[in-house]
Amino acid sequence: MQCFIYKSLKKDELYLYLDKKDDFSAVPEALFKSLGRLAFVMELQLSPERKLARENPEKIIASLQSKGFFVQLPPTLISLMPSTPDKRLH
């Protein structure tokens, strides 16, 4: 599946994937406004086998097919924490 990726110039590491280039009509207005200015990053051919750095391609494809867009949020502090418990946190 072909998709088009835009990055938010307002929020670091926030990306919007679209199924049609420069067609933001599927994105709800409130969400679109919250993204701020967007810059086109790349066009990408997605498949379930394709490896992506932070997202599951099947999840993106499903969202593009059902909604016409997918939002990749920045990683949170919790997701950056080590998976093994740190005794200093208790």
Side-chain angles (χ1 to χ4, degrees), residues 6-36:
Y6 300 79
K7 70 176 181 176
S8 170
L9 299 178
K10 180 179 177 182
K11 299 178 182 180
D12 283 342
E13 298 189 59
L14 190 143
Y15 294 90
L16 175 67
Y17 293 66
L18 296 177
D19 63 348
K20 298 178 189 88
K21 188 171 185 182
D22 297 332
D23 182 358
F24 301 95
S25 62
V27 182
E29 188 176 345
L31 173 61
F32 185 71
K33 286 181 178 180
S34 75
L35 298 173

Side-chain angles (χ1 to χ4, degrees), residues 81-90:
M81 293 178 71
S83 58
T84 55
D86 186 337
K87 292 180 174 119
R88 294 173 294 172
L89 298 176
H90 297 283

Side-chain angles (χ1 to χ4, degrees), residues 44-74:
L44 187 65
Q45 184 67 33
L46 279 179
S47 68
E49 301 80 27
R50 184 171 189 122
K51 299 288 183 209
L52 299 175
R54 288 198 343 235
E55 290 293 343
N56 177 334
E58 291 180 29
K59 184 173 153 183
I60 297 171
I61 292 168
S63 182
L64 290 172
Q65 289 174 336
S66 65
K67 299 184 217 173
F69 71 94
F70 175 82
V71 177
Q72 178 179 312
L73 299 172

